[in-house]
Amino acid sequence: MIKSTIVIPNYNGIRYIQACLESLYSGTAKEFEVIVVDNASTDGSMEIVRDRFPQVRLIVNQQNTGFSHAVNQGIRASVTPYVILLNNDTQAGLSFVHELEKVMDSDRDGKIFSASARMISLYDKDKTDDAGDYYCALGWAFARGKGKAPDRYTRDCDIFAACAGAAIYRRELLEENQVGLFDEEHFAYFEDIDIGYRAKIYGYRNRFAANSIVYHAGSAVSGSRYNAFKTRLASRNSIYLIYKNMPAAQIVLNLPFLIMGFLIKTLFFVRKGMGKDYVSGLVRGVSLSMRPAGKRHRQKFDKVRFANYVSIQMELWRNLARLFG
């Protein structure tokens, strides 16, 4: 039985897409499906997929609809128990697919929503790119282990959210009457923190799969770690993420931390020469939260899940210690 469908969003990924697909098909797992969702590429990468990998299902968009919409298209087209999301600028380790499936299969109660692979820098294999994502009371998301030695992260553990650049999800929980699909209002950035957050509100767990390894180039689409597009979009989404997932009382509880977090980030981006981009993104985040499109996705507080909110809050505070530890 085929357990997993691998969904790869692609936008002008001609430098990476062939190596990405070749690494998947040379791995130990042989039974899986691959869907590439192309977001109106103009560099010939779509043609490479079509001509050299006829076994891949190709979904072609006429415009760049963003990461969230693209992966949702792939998820909707899948029928397997699991969906694996994979960035086009990655190269999968030999047992990448098998080890992700192994973590999900080990969960007899179906309480694991997602599992994140161990991402290692493609160009500096002595450095970790991401060992699962954390989110803290400052309103900051950060990659566990970023820049540190990969051999420090060899054990599976719970994380706040899986990095959607290389992660597996239980497909039935992505249906609308469950956790739901990725929020397309995000377009890109923070969409994986958001969906992991939602899963935790519903009482599900997110795991780090240490033995599933993938090598990641990083910033292949946006062009650099810091740029105006990414800064505006990420800061917008950081506000939207808080609005839609935290009940009003929890926002008030965290407000001193959140104000401090946004002030520090503002000063940081001012020094980078992108202060206006960051602040304009925050304003757009407030605007999005107040519009019908944003309000539609706000999670309604349910006292039945009160214990889950308490657990999340404790984690937000613990992750402050992890951030500065």
Side-chain angles (χ1 to χ4, degrees):
M1 183 185 85
I2 298 177
K3 295 181 181 180
S4 298
T5 299
I6 303 171
V7 176
I8 304 173
N10 178 65
Y11 175 66
N12 289 341
I14 195 166
R15 290 178 58 192
Y16 303 101
I17 191 66
Q18 181 170 336
C20 176
L21 291 169
E22 287 176 346
S23 71
L24 286 173
Y25 287 115
S26 63
T28 56
K30 302 301 179 184
E31 297 293 323
F32 57 84
E33 295 182 353
V34 178
I35 299 175
V36 171
V37 184
D38 188 82
N39 263 336
S41 295
T42 58
D43 64 346
S45 54
M46 179 184 65
E47 288 74 17
I48 286 178
V49 176
R50 185 186 60 206
D51 298 340
R52 301 183 187 180
F53 300 93
Q55 68 273 47
V56 171
R57 294 172 64 188
L58 184 61
I59 297 174
V60 180
N61 292 323
Q62 298 305 309
Q63 60 183 0
N64 185 355
T65 59
F67 179 90
S68 297
H69 181 264
V71 298
N72 282 348
Q73 287 178 285
I75 292 167
R76 289 190 182 100
S78 68
V79 295
T80 51
Y82 307 137
V83 175
I84 296 174
L85 302 187
L86 187 64
N87 279 4
N88 63 353
D89 61 336
T90 58
Q91 293 179 25
L94 286 175
S95 59
F96 165 71
V97 174
H98 171 72
E99 292 295 341
L100 286 178
E101 292 177 342
K102 186 176 176 181
V103 170
M104 303 300 280
D105 288 343
S106 68
D107 176 32
R108 295 182 179 180
D109 297 328
K111 299 303 288 185
I112 295 178
F113 170 65
S114 69
S116 188
R118 178 159 47 131
M119 301 179 76
I120 298 172
S121 173
L122 179 64
Y123 299 120
D124 187 350
K125 294 181 173 59
D126 292 327
K127 291 183 178 179
T128 299
D129 187 63
D130 191 297
D133 287 345
Y134 284 144
Y135 184 68
C136 72
L138 293 171
W140 297 359
F142 57 100
R144 176 172 173 257
K146 184 78 171 181
K148 298 179 180 178
D151 59 10
R152 295 180 58 176
Y153 304 94
T154 57
R155 293 184 180 182
D156 292 7
C157 64
D158 280 359
I159 53 177
F160 191 90
C163 173
I168 190 168
Y169 297 84
R170 198 175 298 277
R171 190 180 61 82
E172 65 179 358
L173 297 181
L174 294 167
E175 296 174 359
E176 288 187 9
N177 62 337
Q178 297 289 337
V179 176
L181 291 167
F182 285 80
D183 184 350
E184 296 178 11
E185 294 299 330
H186 281 275
F187 189 85
Y189 305 119
F190 282 89
E191 73 291 324
D192 46 7
I193 300 293
D194 170 62
I195 202 168
Y197 199 138
R198 271 187 279 144
K200 295 175 80 68
I201 291 173
Y202 281 83
Y204 295 103
R205 299 160 60 204
N206 302 299
R207 294 284 286 173
F208 168 60
N211 293 323
S212 177
I213 296 174
V214 67
Y215 300 95
H216 183 218
S219 302
V221 174
S222 60
S224 64
R225 185 174 181 183
Y226 300 113
N227 58 67
F229 170 78
K230 180 176 180 179
T231 299
R232 286 193 298 268
L233 198 52
S235 64
R236 185 199 74 156
N237 291 347
S238 65
I239 292 286
Y240 179 49
L241 174 73
I242 293 165
Y243 163 78
K244 65 176 294 194
N245 291 302
M246 285 190 188
Q250 192 176 19
I251 292 177
V252 172
L253 177 64
N254 288 295
L255 196 58
F257 295 101
L258 294 172
I259 291 173
M260 183 184 304
F262 288 122
L263 283 175
I264 292 172
K265 286 278 190 177
T266 298
L267 292 174
F268 173 83
F269 282 104
V270 166
R271 294 182 64 182
K272 290 282 185 182
M274 290 183 285
K276 290 183 179 180
D277 295 310
Y278 182 77
V279 172
S280 69
L282 297 180
V283 173
R284 293 179 186 183
V286 173
S287 176
L288 171 59
S289 300
M290 295 300 102
R291 295 203 307 268
K295 290 181 178 181
R296 184 172 65 249
H297 295 290
R298 181 166 169 78
Q299 296 300 301
K300 293 181 180 179
F301 175 76
D302 189 335
K303 62 182 180 181
V304 173
R305 302 190 183 98
F306 180 75
N308 297 340
Y309 283 103
V310 172
S311 177
I312 290 169
Q313 184 59 47
M314 294 299 104
E315 190 169 358
L316 295 181
W317 284 334
R318 285 197 304 271
N319 289 342
L320 275 176
R322 290 186 171 114
L323 177 62
F324 295 107

